[in-house]
Amino acid sequence: MTEAESVLWDCLRNNEVGVKFLRQHVIGDYIVDFVSRYGGLIIEVDGGYHSEPKQQESDAMREEALERLGFHFLRFSNEEVLYETDRVLDEIKNYFVPSTVPPSTSP
């Protein structure tokens, strides 16, 4: 694990978001950084090489394949996890909070 993945894992395994996560979990042909089966959330922590065009293309194909299986993604950079940990945890928590916006109605 990278330093950022280790920091995030410490938060997730200590139940700071209130949902159980697995790390380095195999789903189909892929290994994801973190996944919660509750809500189908995959969290990826991306290093600098993820900004390379070939890697972005590979990431997009991988994400699309996993979304077809019903998963949703949150991606964070190493820097976000290391220097904005509270904001990252809030974003993860917010994923699991039901929307308070009422459904739109047609006239």
Side-chain angles (χ1 to χ4, degrees), residues 27 35-37 39-42 63 66-73 95:
I27 302 173
V35 63
S36 172
R37 294 288 186 173
L41 179 64
I42 292 172
E63 193 168 318
L66 290 166
E67 285 175 341
R68 281 194 305 268
L69 295 175
F71 290 94
H72 304 277
F73 274 79
Y95 172 84

Side-chain angles (χ1 to χ4, degrees), residues 2-93:
T2 66
E3 180 183 2
E5 289 171 338
S6 183
V7 166
L8 185 56
W9 178 239
D10 284 344
C11 295
L12 295 175
R13 75 174 175 194
N14 288 329
N15 205 24
E16 290 186 34
V17 297
V19 177
K20 182 181 176 179
F21 279 86
L22 303 169
R23 83 176 165 87
Q24 298 296 304
H25 189 70
V26 176
I27 302 173
D29 294 333
Y30 305 101
I31 299 174
V32 299
D33 291 340
F34 307 101
V35 63
S36 172
R37 294 288 186 173
Y38 174 79
L41 179 64
I42 292 172
I43 300 172
E44 290 290 310
V45 179
D46 295 340
Y49 70 94
H50 285 273
S51 63
E52 298 293 324
K54 280 192 145 197
Q55 186 61 48
Q56 286 180 339
E57 184 179 319
S58 175
D59 286 347
M61 289 173 39
R62 178 177 181 264
E63 193 168 318
E64 184 179 307
L66 290 166
E67 285 175 341
R68 281 194 305 268
L69 295 175
F71 290 94
H72 304 277
F73 274 79
L74 288 178
R75 287 188 173 277
F76 301 101
S77 69
N78 286 339
E79 292 75 21
E80 286 176 298
V81 172
L82 293 173
Y83 304 115
E84 301 176 49
T85 309
D86 289 338
R87 184 190 60 76
V88 167
L89 293 175
D90 285 344
E91 194 169 331
I92 296 167
K93 287 177 196 174

